[in-house]
Amino acid sequence: MRVVTPKIYWHGLKPIFTLDFQKGSPRLATSGEECDIKIWFISKNSLSAVDLEFRASLARHSKTVNVVRFSPNSELLASAADDGCINVWKFDSFVDPSKKDQTLDDDETKEVWTIVHAFGHVTAEYYDLSWAPDSQHFATGSTDNTIRIWTLNRASPVQDFRDHTHYVQGIAWDPKGEYLASQSADRSVRIYSLVTETKNQPLKFRFSHLIRHGALSQDSNQPQDLESPQKSEDPAKQFLFLDENATVYIRRLKWSPDGAYLVTPTAGTSEGNSTFVFQRHNFQRPMMKLSIPSASICVSFCPRAYNSLDGTKESEEKRLVYAIMSYRDVILYDTKYLHPLCLLSGMHSDILTDMSWSHEEDILAVSSIDGFITFLCLDQEDLGEGQQVAQADIGVNKRYIAAGGHKNKLNPKVSQHTSPFSSSSSSSIQEHQPFSPTILSPQTLAQTYVPSILKAQTPPKDPQLLVSPTSSSGAKRRITPVLVSEGRFEKMKKTSD
C-alpha cells in the first residue's frame, strides 16, 4: 500500500473539483476552476510511486467544471459546468509528432478530442452527472433543484423532475438500469423507477421512493440494528440527512457496481455524522449506518471484486471495496466486514473534492481544492486477487446484510479480521511527497473509530499532540498530520462540532 501525491500543479494554481478514470485504459480526466479538462495517463511503477503523462487539454467551458465522467462503454467523456453547458467529448486520434500544426494548443498535446454532442445553456449550475448503462443516456443534478434525463440524439432533456426543494447535489444511475437515485440539500434522497424501455426510444422514469425521515438506534459507534425498538420520541420526524447549513457542496451517492447496494453520504442526526447503506429494492430504511468523524460528501466503489483474505471457508465469496470521503478524510470499507479497512487523513492542505478508482489497476485518485491529487496505490497482497465486476455477478451478500440486522449483530470491537492494511504490510511514506497522510490501522478503527495511531510511525506510549512549526512566509500551506491521544481527540472533536 502506497500513498503518493505527485508534486505538480495539475491545473496551474487552480482548485481541482472533479476527476474520473476511463474503463479499459490508464486515462484520467481532471478539471476544476481552470475550466479546461486535462487528460492524463496514470499507472503504478515499482518505485513506490506513479507514472503520469499529460495527453491533452480540452477547452470549451467558460466557467468552473464541476463534474467529468467517462461513459460505461469508455467511448465518451461528459463534462458539466457552472456555465450551464454539458459537453460530450470523444477521442478522435493520436497526434503524430512529425505532423503537428498550429491548431494544437501546445507541443505537449498527444491526443485530439472533439465535441460530438453539446447541450444548451440553462441558468443553473450543474453539480453532478451520471451515465446510464447503455452509454446513450445520462442524468444531471443542478442548482435549480432539477433532475434532467438526457439522450445523445436529442438536444433537450427527455424528462425532468422538480421534486426536490433545494440544490440537487448528487445523482446515481443504477448499473442495472432499473433505478435512478438523487440526493439534495433538502435533506432527502429520491428514487425513480424505470417505466419504459423501448428500443430506439428514450428511457422514462417515475418517482417511486422518498428517503427523508426515519428512526435510528442511539448507538452511533456501530453499524445499526434498525429493527430494534426505537428510543426517539417521534421517530417518524427524525431527519436522516444534514440540511443546507452543512458545509458540503456535493452529496455524491453511489450504487455498487453490481447494483446490490446504494450508499448515501451526508447523513446525520443528533447522534453524529454517518453514511447509510441501503439494500437494493429495500429503500424503506437503511440496512446499515456507518458513523464517521465528519460529514461525508462522496462515495466511490472500486470496479473490481476481490476474494476474501482471511483464509476461511467463505474465501471464495467475492467482496466489493468502497471509499467514503469527507472534506478531510477518506475511509475504505468492504462488503464483508463491518469496520473500516483503513482511514487516510491529512493528505491535503485544503478540502477534498472528488475521487475515482482506476479500472485497470488498484488505484484510488483523490482531488483537492489545493490543486493537488493523491493516489492510493494498492497491491494484490493488500486487497487480494481482483477481477472486473459484471452486472449481477456478485449479488447481495446475505451475511453482510444480516450483520446490520438483529439476527446476526456483529460487534466490530471483537472482530478477528486480519486486514492487509496492518502496520507490517504498509510501505513508508515517500520523502518526495508534499504531504504525509495519517493512515489508521483497521484494528484501531474497529476498537475506537477515532484517529489514535500514526501508521507510518511507531506511536509513543503516551501520545501527545504534536504541532509542527509554522512558517510566516506566503508560500502554500502544507499540513503535517498530528498524533492525538484518544481522550484528547474526543475533546477536540466536540469543540469543532
Side-chain angles (χ1 to χ4, degrees), residues 419-427 441-443 453-457 459:
S419 171
F421 300 105
S422 60
S423 300
S424 60
S425 64
S426 69
S427 60
S441 68
Q443 290 80 7
I453 294 181
L454 185 64
K455 187 175 177 58
Q457 301 176 358

Side-chain angles (χ1 to χ4, degrees), residues 16-21 28-29 66 68-69 249-250 252 254 263 265 296-302 322-326 329-333 344 347 352-358 363-368 373-374 376:
I16 301 173
F17 288 118
T18 182
L19 76 176
D20 194 42
F21 276 106
L28 175 70
N66 290 319
V68 293
R69 293 292 182 262
Y249 80 99
I250 55 172
R252 287 178 175 157
K254 194 73 172 181
V263 184
S296 55
I297 60 176
C298 180
V299 178
S300 182
F301 271 85
C302 180
Y322 59 101
I324 298 174
M325 185 177 76
S326 67
D329 309 316
V330 173
I331 310 172
L332 295 190
Y333 285 89
L344 296 92
M347 294 179 287
L352 309 181
T353 56
D354 200 6
M355 58 182 172
S356 177
W357 290 88
S358 169
I363 301 177
L364 175 65
V366 179
S367 61
S368 171
I373 297 176
T374 291
L376 174 61

Side-chain angles (χ1 to χ4, degrees), residues 72-73 131-138 151 173 175 197 201 203 391:
N73 64 6
W131 283 94
D134 64 3
S135 296
Q136 296 299 308
H137 296 75
F138 61 88
T151 184
W173 205 305
E197 188 175 7
Q201 294 295 322
L203 301 178
Q391 290 186 13

Side-chain angles (χ1 to χ4, degrees), residues 256-327:
S256 60
D258 61 343
Y261 309 107
L262 174 65
V263 184
T264 60
T266 327
T269 64
S270 58
E271 303 168 4
N273 298 301
S274 57
T275 297
F276 291 139
V277 181
F278 289 87
Q279 181 185 354
R280 184 180 187 82
H281 303 313
N282 185 7
F283 306 112
Q284 300 303 318
R285 60 176 66 228
M287 74 171 196
M288 196 169 295
K289 179 166 87 86
L290 306 173
S291 296
I292 59 175
S294 57
S296 55
I297 60 176
C298 180
V299 178
S300 182
F301 271 85
C302 180
R304 298 159 63 85
Y306 299 91
N307 295 325
S308 176
L309 291 174
D310 58 9
T312 63
K313 62 181 180 180
E314 296 91 357
S315 296
E316 295 183 358
E317 182 176 312
K318 301 296 183 182
R319 59 194 178 92
L320 300 172
V321 175
Y322 59 101
I324 298 174
M325 185 177 76
S326 67
Y327 268 172

